[in-house]
Amino acid sequence: VASTGTVLARLEALDHFEAGRLEEAAESARTSLSWHRSAQEQSDAWVTLARVYRADGRAASMDEALSQASHLWPENPRLRTLADVPTS
């Protein structure tokens, strides 16, 4: 059940992010991170949070989130995709 909840929270975070609701996106991503699950799922949640922080102009927070994501799953393809997107 927790696994389903974490996936739903992560997807909800992405939906909020794409709709421009940054605070709701960050809250959903942090909720997803509060549950125990695989390193790959945690890494994806950190990448989502990094995207939110980037859009909100919070560079230091974005860097920390990317560091966490990379530590958990260095080969995460979403890390490369995020690195290719300009900050401004």
Side-chain angles (χ1 to χ4, degrees), residues 54-55 59 62 85-88:
R54 172 183 273 178
M62 179 193 76
V85 177
T87 304
S88 53

Side-chain angles (χ1 to χ4, degrees), residues 54 66 77-87:
R54 172 183 273 178
L66 289 175
R78 292 183 66 212
L79 288 169
R80 285 190 303 279
T81 301
L82 186 60
D84 294 340
V85 177
T87 304

Side-chain angles (χ1 to χ4, degrees), residues 61-73:
S61 296
M62 179 193 76
D63 290 343
E64 176 60 27
L66 289 175
S67 176
Q68 292 290 334
S70 180
H71 174 74
L72 289 162
W73 183 21

Side-chain angles (χ1 to χ4, degrees), residues 1-51:
V1 174
S3 178
T4 301
T6 59
V7 170
L8 291 175
R10 191 166 34 94
L11 292 174
E12 183 178 72
L14 287 171
D15 286 343
H16 286 309
F17 175 75
E18 290 173 359
R21 296 184 300 268
L22 300 180
E23 188 55 40
E24 292 90 342
E27 183 178 331
S28 292
R30 286 189 294 266
T31 297
S32 177
L33 287 166
S34 71
W35 292 322
H36 298 287
R37 57 205 197 292
S38 77
Q40 291 179 344
E41 289 175 329
Q42 290 180 52
S43 178
D44 276 345
W46 280 110
V47 170
T48 298
L49 196 52
R51 291 177 67 196

